[in-house]
Amino acid sequence: MGLLSGLMGLTSDVDVEQVRSDLQPIMVEGEEIVLAFMVVRDILVFTDLRLVIVDKQGVTGRKRTIQSIPYRAITTFSIETAGTFDTDSEMTIWMSGQPPLTRELSRRSNIAGIQKALAEGVLGRR
């Protein structure tokens, strides 16, 4: 099962069309955005080829760091859910030859959707 067919039941937290117009300059020909999730101030964008993390910085959020991670580079990932006294969840992604990437997820984040999208991207690759 490919990424697109496996994620058809999920919905994005943010407007995919808005994300598509924002990221159009960095998208390769034929690349499709499948899902996008708001994570605190950042956005996780799942395309059919890669995971794009848009890290908004500064007071206005106009300064951004955009990180592109091909699914084939992700070796493992984990998501820690929030507990009774711990208000935030945490996502960690390990990539070949890179230090782990950790992002905090708020209680409002679609944790199940993010985990399923990561699993489909990583496990669904050929």
Side-chain angles (χ1 to χ4, degrees):
M1 177 185 322
L3 178 66
L4 292 173
S5 61
L7 296 177
M8 295 309 273
L10 288 177
T11 57
S12 293
D13 287 341
V14 297
D15 181 21
V16 171
E17 292 305 316
Q18 178 64 42
V19 172
R20 183 174 287 119
S21 68
D22 289 348
L23 295 182
Q24 191 60 43
I26 68 163
M27 303 285 290
V28 299
E29 188 172 332
E31 184 176 16
E32 291 292 324
I33 293 176
V34 179
L35 291 169
F37 296 101
M38 183 67 75
V39 178
V40 188
R41 286 182 49 174
D42 301 345
I43 300 175
L44 296 179
V45 181
F46 293 89
T47 77
D48 54 340
L49 303 174
R50 60 188 165 156
L51 168 62
V52 178
I53 300 174
V54 180
D55 181 6
K56 295 182 179 181
Q57 302 170 5
V59 176
T60 64
R62 290 186 57 142
K63 181 178 179 182
R64 302 180 304 167
T65 298
I66 299 173
Q67 186 169 17
S68 175
I69 306 168
Y71 294 123
R72 69 180 180 278
I74 299 173
T75 57
T76 189
F77 62 90
S78 71
I79 294 182
E80 175 187 297
T81 60
T84 304
F85 300 108
D86 186 12
T87 59
D88 289 329
S89 300
E90 191 174 272
M91 172 185 71
T92 304
I93 299 173
W94 287 267
M95 299 162 285
S96 303
Q98 299 291 320
L101 173 72
T102 302
R103 289 285 187 269
E104 282 196 15
L105 307 174
S106 70
R107 280 192 183 267
R108 295 182 314 248
S109 296
N110 184 346
I111 293 169
I114 292 169
Q115 182 142 357
K116 184 172 182 178
L118 272 168
E120 285 292 333
V122 173
L123 300 176
R125 67 177 187 238
R126 302 279 180 249

